Amino acid sequence: MTNDFSPSGTRRDFFRLTGAMGAAIAFAGSLSACGTSPADRAKSTTSGAASAKADGTITAAISYELGSNGFDPMTTTAALTLAANWHTMEGLTEILPTGTREVYAALAKELPKKVDETTYEATLRDGAKFHDGSPVTVDDVVHSFQRVLDPANKSMYVQFLGFLDGVTKKDDKTVTIKLKHAFSLVNERLAVVKIVPEAATQDAKAFDAKPIGTGPWKMTDNSATSKELAFERFADYTGPRPAKASKMVWKVMPDDATRANAMSSKAVQAMDLVPDLNIETLKGSATVESVQGFAVLFAMFNCGSEPFKDVRNRQAFLYAIDMDKVIKTAYLGNATPATSFLDEAHPAYQKASTVYSFDADKAKKLFAETGLKKIRLLCTDHGWVKKATPLIKEALEAAGISVDFAEKKSPDVYNTIDDKPAAYDAVIAPGDPSVFGADPDLLMRWWYSNPTWADSRMHWKGQESFTKVQALLDEAVKQTGEEQKATWGKVFNLLSETVPLYPLMHRKSTTAFDADSLPGFKPIALTGLSFIDVASSK
């Protein structure tokens, strides 16, 4: 991913990472839509916030640029487009970006019904329409799954659906979901496929530029030249989470100082990626909160060529970096050094067998064994990443390595290295696959099973460790409870030992917002901002 990518009402179970994570957590979810119009529901959901306006506008500052990324939910992986799609697109199920990641019925009338171990059924909610006014049909649902599963489309999401045998039409309101084997995360994983109109996707380029979904918000402007995204409430929305404001404007501000100034001057009501040095200053004019999540700064290695074909060099690279120092110096402590693939706050966390605490002597010893003297280090130029990469370069040089250091915009980094085994040795970049879901299988498959990452970038596919990781992941998805947790632990250990790509740290997501003018707003641990169930007094 390039971060480029990088409720109230009835109670329901959610965030079921299987029995290995303990009992399911109950959460107040899903506003009832029965017997009321979309406009009435929009008004009623703001009744607890006297200052909210039904015709209010939400204004936010977003750190990530649009770049060349489109919005097609079959292919996009960029932070900005993904965050936009949270508001404009829906799957049969959805996962709230906020809090404990509630899974709820979105385009489905209710969570899919289990018929047997390998069969589920989902019925469409009544009156669902696309943003172009056309009704949502079962044929659109089937088409949406087929286009993601079709190898010719090269969807980045297909590795999340390995359990799925297919989706077919049962009748005019219901689809049958067939599994290859029993799977404990069906409801969570169905959310990665957004339902789109079959007719509109026939012109792939036009659809990528101007997506059509069923979400509570309809995009009205996504011009890269305008430096903002604009949305309006979708008046014909019939789902459980209608837009609580009339309009929404996201100002694209990748520069930290510009974003912070907009927040402090109240030109915007919320901003993502608050620079650590601005936290205390912004507290004078806004609410500032940091939430620990999975989001990582990672090191990725070219495992198909020397020098990093030798695992000792990959391990030495990690031992050479004093991440405690990097985090304290660059981020004022607003991150946690990686002690496993998962962050320590994750319900499925297990400490890995190998933890790369700073050990200069071990790094030098391993580099001496291999004879490595020089590497090419390519880094993304995100503002917060640039605070750490010079320190990483210095640490490697202190371990006796000459570093050919280069920074590029995120898309340019991957354009430089994709399918080019001779183009680089190591990359430092951000990533956050938790924007797609939170279960360990999904998070690991994003990097370690995805051909784009494992083959085109890491050049790791086909190696013994790659094969072992795939076998363990495939074993775990058929398990539940402690057995599944134990198998995931084996994968964490293997990844920590072989490190084809590995987290250096798990970063806290820091958000600033005007609590008085944004009733219902909650910071998230993910990359981006969510305005689902949020109103505005402006």
Side-chain angles (χ1 to χ4, degrees), residues 202-395:
Q202 302 311 302
D203 186 339
K205 186 175 182 180
F207 183 76
D208 196 35
K210 190 176 182 181
I212 299 171
T214 61
W217 293 95
K218 179 180 179 179
M219 189 176 292
T220 56
D221 183 13
N222 59 14
S223 171
T225 57
S226 69
K227 298 297 183 183
E228 68 179 36
L229 302 184
F231 309 78
E232 65 181 24
R233 176 192 291 137
F234 179 36
D236 289 332
Y237 178 74
T238 60
R241 290 190 157 82
K244 294 186 177 182
S246 177
K247 295 181 180 180
M248 184 163 60
V249 178
W250 294 4
K251 298 180 181 296
V252 179
M253 296 179 173
D255 179 71
D256 285 351
T258 302
R259 208 162 60 255
N261 287 338
M263 188 71 233
S264 61
S265 66
K266 298 190 181 298
V268 298
Q269 295 162 281
M271 66 171 285
D272 70 341
L273 282 182
V274 175
D276 300 296
L277 290 174
N278 293 91
I279 290 176
E280 292 305 317
T281 302
L282 282 173
K283 283 182 178 179
S285 58
T287 300
V288 183
E289 293 185 16
S290 297
V291 184
Q292 180 66 63
F294 177 80
V296 302
L297 182 70
F298 64 78
M300 177 175 66
F301 302 102
N302 182 348
C303 301
S305 305
E306 297 298 345
F308 289 112
K309 187 175 183 179
D310 190 328
V311 69
R312 292 175 295 176
N313 285 326
R314 306 199 295 264
Q315 293 170 340
F317 183 105
L318 298 177
Y319 280 123
I321 303 169
D322 186 345
M323 283 310 302
D324 286 316
K325 178 182 177 181
V326 171
I327 290 169
K328 181 179 179 180
T329 304
Y331 306 116
L332 304 182
N334 203 30
T336 306
T339 57
S340 185
F341 173 75
L342 296 178
D343 61 283
E344 295 181 21
H346 195 287
Y349 169 81
Q350 298 172 65
K351 188 175 182 178
S353 56
T354 303
V355 176
Y356 291 92
S357 300
F358 176 55
D359 192 330
D361 291 339
K362 183 175 286 190
K364 291 176 181 177
K365 178 177 180 295
L366 290 170
F367 283 140
E369 289 177 3
T370 66
L372 181 60
K373 299 292 184 181
K374 183 177 180 179
I375 65 169
R376 295 165 298 168
L377 182 62
L378 183 58
C379 307
T380 67
D381 69 348
H382 297 100
W384 70 270
V385 175
K386 291 170 67 172
K387 295 178 181 179
T389 48
L391 299 173
I392 292 172
K393 175 178 179 288
E394 291 175 8

Side-chain angles (χ1 to χ4, degrees), residues 506-530:
H506 293 95
R507 190 168 188 258
K508 295 178 182 178
S509 176
T510 304
T511 304
F513 59 101
D514 181 1
D516 292 334
S517 71
L518 286 178
F521 181 84
K522 298 177 182 178
I524 60 176
L526 312 179
T527 302
L529 295 171
S530 171

